[in-house]
Amino acid sequence: QGCTQKYIVKNYFYYYLFKFSAALGEEIFYITFLPFTYWNIDHSVSRRMIIVWSIVMYIGQVSKDILKWPRPLSPPVVKLEMRTNAEYGMPSTHAMAATAISFSFFTATMNQYKYPFELGLVAAFVFSTLVCLSRLYTGMHTVLDVIGGALISAALLTLLYPVWDTIDHLLLTSPFCPLFSIVVPLVLCYNYPKLDYYSPTRGDTTTILGAAAGATVGFWLNNQYAAPASTSKSFQPGFPLVTSTMVFVLARFFVGILVVLLTRWVMKSVVLGVLGYRYKFPIRDLEARRRLEVEVPYKFVTYSSVGFTATVIVPLLHELLGLM
């Protein structure tokens, strides 16, 4: 399924604003902002955001395929996206992710850093609102989808907040953490709700749970065998940033992103090659890659490698290059 209506852009400000805002709820944002937080701001904040993000997104993705509420019809709406049109609409996982990430970041940092409470609250609200409005502008969701997604995410964050310190402590110290972090997400991915037709929701869910699994194993490994660090000393919100500090921040980010993207490309190629040999299909066969026995292992292994690389390999590289 794709766009069913042609359109002419008359207001480029709104068009680019909401296209950019929509990207804040997609992989390109996750794969940059979450690692940036870990490398440059605060390990504990990053861990809590990843925990909340993975739980919220799993529940949102599964809810879509259980409720099976259709997306808005086109016409009357004009759809500006193609890929997610094959998914169901309720709840909006863009709205859920934006609400979860912005408010978990605000909640996790408000007691650790000195900045005006009102400023943090407004920033979280504006961020989540822009993403929510982008889903209406692009024609991908109804108002009810967006409100439902934001409210579900807020409710889950409220439930998780009292126990996220406990969860974080267990994930860092329990000897069962690596096994739990890999087995549970894999079981959830292989037992994902089945649909009558292919939808990218299972693949997206596997990507999210895989990345969170790899990162969680990395958190545990760092805590067991490296010097535990909950806060980065290189960046403190609320204080003026000198030029040298910004250079180190940007250097860590670009080196890290380069390694993460390289890891994703290499692992995707290797895993697809192995699975293609095992199940006798060419790597470029899209239909074969959508099969359960192919999609789940290739996406889980690829993105768990990405999560592990971002939390273990990249910090070691930063230290080796003198960027810490």
Side-chain angles (χ1 to χ4, degrees):
Q1 301 180 40
C3 295
T4 55
Q5 281 185 288
K6 294 182 179 180
Y7 59 88
I8 298 175
V9 178
K10 295 183 178 180
N11 190 316
Y12 283 96
F13 174 76
Y14 287 134
Y15 178 77
Y16 287 113
L17 172 65
F18 290 124
K19 289 288 282 185
F20 172 77
S21 299
L24 298 178
E26 297 173 357
E27 181 185 348
I28 189 173
F29 176 72
Y30 306 146
I31 209 169
T32 53
F33 178 71
L34 294 177
F36 178 88
T37 304
Y38 188 76
W39 299 330
N40 290 303
I41 300 180
D42 193 298
H43 290 183
S44 65
V45 171
S46 181
R47 292 197 305 267
R48 283 158 176 75
M49 282 198 298
I50 289 173
I51 291 169
V52 172
W53 168 67
S54 58
I55 293 173
V56 164
M57 288 299 290
Y58 174 76
I59 291 174
Q61 295 285 75
V62 169
S63 298
K64 281 185 177 183
D65 289 342
I66 292 176
L67 294 174
K68 298 182 179 180
W69 286 21
R71 290 185 181 269
L73 293 176
S74 177
V77 305
V78 177
K79 296 189 176 181
L80 306 185
E81 295 180 11
M82 296 177 63
R83 179 181 177 275
T84 57
N85 197 35
E87 299 178 7
Y88 288 108
M90 177 66 174
S92 166
T93 46
H94 273 71
M96 294 183 72
T99 303
I101 288 177
S102 59
F103 281 93
S104 61
F105 181 82
F106 166 61
T107 306
T109 58
M110 65 180 181
N111 293 324
Q112 295 193 39
Y113 300 104
K114 293 181 180 180
Y115 62 84
F117 175 86
E118 296 79 6
L119 178 63
L121 183 62
V122 169
F125 180 79
V126 169
F127 178 91
S128 56
T129 300
L130 281 175
V131 176
C132 290
L133 289 177
S134 74
R135 307 316 288 158
L136 302 178
Y137 181 87
T138 55
M140 301 311 296
H141 285 286
T142 64
V143 174
L144 186 59
D145 294 343
V146 170
I147 293 176
L151 289 178
I152 292 171
S153 188
L156 290 171
L157 185 57
T158 302
L159 292 173
L160 288 169
Y161 176 69
V163 297
W164 71 0
D165 286 339
T166 303
I167 295 173
D168 184 55
H169 177 73
L170 288 173
L171 292 179
L172 288 178
T173 60
S174 172
F176 301 106
C177 171
L179 182 64
F180 178 87
S181 299
I182 298 297
V183 172
V184 172
L186 271 176
V187 170
L188 293 176
C189 292
Y190 274 107
N191 290 276
Y192 193 82
K194 295 180 180 179
L195 298 175
D196 296 331
Y197 65 93
Y198 178 78
S199 166
T201 49
R202 184 183 66 203
D204 291 345
T205 303
T206 305
T207 294
I208 292 164
L209 294 184
T216 303
V217 173
F219 297 150
W220 180 87
L221 197 65
N222 287 337
N223 191 69
Q224 298 297 314
Y225 300 104
S230 61
T231 303
S232 170
K233 296 182 176 10
S234 60
F235 179 71
Q236 293 288 331
F239 292 91
L241 293 178
V242 295
T243 303
S244 60
T245 302
M246 285 302 299
V247 169
F248 275 93
V249 167
L250 292 175
R252 280 194 294 268
F253 176 71
F254 286 114
V255 168
I257 287 299
L258 180 63
V259 173
V260 164
L261 293 177
L262 181 62
T263 300
R264 183 178 66 167
W265 177 73
V266 170
M267 292 306 300
K268 182 178 180 179
S269 301
V270 171
V271 176
L272 275 178
V274 172
L275 291 171
Y277 177 79
R278 168 66 177 83
Y279 294 108
K280 311 300 181 186
F281 69 88
I283 292 179
R284 297 186 181 275
D285 187 343
L286 183 59
E287 288 302 317
R289 287 162 56 175
R290 289 174 170 179
R291 287 154 44 187
L292 175 68
E293 65 271 22
V294 175
E295 183 177 59
V296 170
Y298 114 68
K299 290 203 169 184
F300 191 87
V301 172
T302 297
Y303 283 91
S304 61
S305 300
V306 166
F308 183 83
T309 297
T311 54
V312 176
I313 306 301
V314 170
L316 289 176
L317 183 60
H318 286 164
E319 188 171 357
L320 184 65
L321 295 175
L323 296 176
M324 297 300 289

